[in-house]
Amino acid sequence: MRILLVEDERKLSGIIKRSLKEVNYAVDLADNGDEALFIAESHPYDLIILDIMLPGKDGITVCRNLRKNKNDTPILMLTARDDEEDKITGLDSGADDYITKPFSYPEFLARVRALLRRKSTGKSSRLKLADLELDQLTRKAYRAGKEIDLTPKEYSLLEYLMNNVGEVITRTMISEHVWDGDFEAFSNVINVYVNYLKKKIDHGHTKQLIHSLRGVGYILKDE
Ligand code: CA
C-alpha cells in the first residue's frame, strides 16, 4: 500500500511518516499543495493524507482539484483545530474522512486501515483465492486453513497481489505500491521477495497460485 502524505510541518510529517512505515506502508511526502497535486497525478496512490493548512494551494483546493481531475484515491484530511466549518468544507470538497490534530496514533492508523480497506474490497476485510485467505484486519494469511507466517513486507506484497488477482503485475507496479519512492526498483530484490512468498504460499501444495511470467512480472491466479 502506497500513501502520499501532504504536510508542511516537518516535525509532524516525520512522525506521521515513521508511524506509517512502522506498519509497513510505503510513504511519499509532499510539503505544499502544488507539489501534492503534481505527485498525486504522477503516481497511483492507495491513500492520500492531506493537511488543510498548506503553503500555496491549501488542502481543500488540492482535494477539489483531484476530484475534478477524476482522481478517486481515498483522502484523509488533517484539520488543525476542532473547527466544524473545516470538517464540513473538507468532506464537501471530496475527502473521505478527517482527523483533528493533535490525534492519537492508534486512532489515526485505524482510520488509515479503514480507508484502505474500503478502497481495496468495497466491504469485506477478507480476501480469498482458492484456499488462500488474507485477513486485512489481523494482517494474517491462511492456506488451506493453516496460518502462514509472513514478514510485514511479505504480507504487503501478498495483499497487493490479492487485490489484483488475475492481472499481470510488473516489478515496477510492485515497487510503486509495496515499496516507496526511496526504493530503487532493483528487480532482483523483488524477485527474492516473490520467491520467499512463493515458497511460503505454494510449497507443498499441488495447486500453484503465484506464477512468474518471464521478463514481465507475476500473476496470482487459481488454475
Ligand atoms: Ca500545515
Side-chain angles (χ1 to χ4, degrees):
M1 292 291 182
R2 189 169 177 177
I3 297 175
L4 174 62
L5 169 62
V6 190
E7 168 61 81
D8 58 312
E9 288 159 62
R10 283 282 158 90
K11 206 173 148 195
L12 182 61
S13 68
I15 298 170
I16 297 177
K17 182 171 179 176
R18 225 172 307 129
S19 78
L20 291 166
K21 291 193 84 150
E22 258 167 34
V23 285
N24 250 337
Y25 296 120
V27 185
D28 291 332
L29 266 180
D31 63 6
N32 67 70
D34 296 291
E35 190 189 9
L37 273 175
F38 179 76
I39 300 180
E41 295 298 341
S42 52
H43 292 287
Y45 285 97
D46 301 296
L47 174 70
I48 299 172
I49 298 168
L50 184 59
D51 188 33
I52 289 188
M53 303 284 280
L54 292 168
K57 287 190 180 71
D58 65 20
I60 303 278
T61 309
V62 170
C63 187
R64 282 208 183 103
N65 275 312
L66 287 171
R67 296 306 188 227
K68 210 175 69 198
N69 297 340
K70 305 273 176 257
N71 184 321
D72 62 356
T73 306
I75 294 177
L76 174 61
M77 279 214 168
L78 306 178
T79 67
R81 57 220 123 84
D82 209 3
D83 187 332
E84 185 108 335
E85 195 96 353
D86 266 6
K87 288 175 192 165
I88 294 168
T89 317
L91 293 173
D92 281 347
S93 69
D96 298 274
D97 197 6
Y98 62 83
I99 190 163
T100 306
K101 294 194 270 187
F103 45 78
S104 84
Y105 282 87
E107 186 194 346
F108 169 73
L109 292 172
R111 283 171 191 265
V112 166
R113 280 196 301 275
L115 286 175
L116 288 172
R117 245 190 344 261
R118 220 185 285 168
K119 177 181 189 270
S120 60
T121 57
K123 289 179 241 43
S124 167
S125 65
R126 256 180 128 81
L127 300 174
K128 224 176 140 33
L129 175 71
D131 59 354
L132 175 64
E133 270 188 85
L134 200 73
D135 187 330
Q136 293 182 290
L137 279 180
T138 57
R139 296 175 71 83
K140 283 182 177 163
Y142 304 86
R143 179 93 201 245
K146 242 184 95 188
E147 189 183 335
I148 306 159
D149 187 27
L150 297 179
T151 65
K153 207 61 172 176
E154 289 165 353
Y155 173 87
S156 299
L157 181 58
L158 182 60
E159 186 180 51
Y160 180 63
L161 291 173
M162 289 199 74
N163 272 314
N164 295 280
V165 166
E167 285 173 38
V168 175
I169 305 295
T170 64
R171 290 183 190 90
T172 309
M173 289 160 79
I174 292 175
S175 75
E176 282 180 357
H177 285 270
V178 181
W179 275 269
D180 54 40
D182 310 333
F183 176 72
E184 294 273 336
F186 294 121
S187 62
N188 62 325
V189 172
I190 292 172
N191 278 345
V192 167
Y193 269 95
V194 174
N195 283 333
Y196 284 152
L197 196 57
K198 240 186 193 170
K199 234 175 244 169
K200 291 187 177 181
I201 300 297
D202 284 336
H203 189 78
H205 294 268
T206 45
K207 191 185 273 180
Q208 305 295 294
L209 298 175
I210 301 176
H211 307 264
S212 298
L213 305 169
R214 194 177 288 274
V216 182
Y218 311 94
I219 188 165
L220 184 72
K221 60 179 179 179
D222 175 15
E223 70 166 32

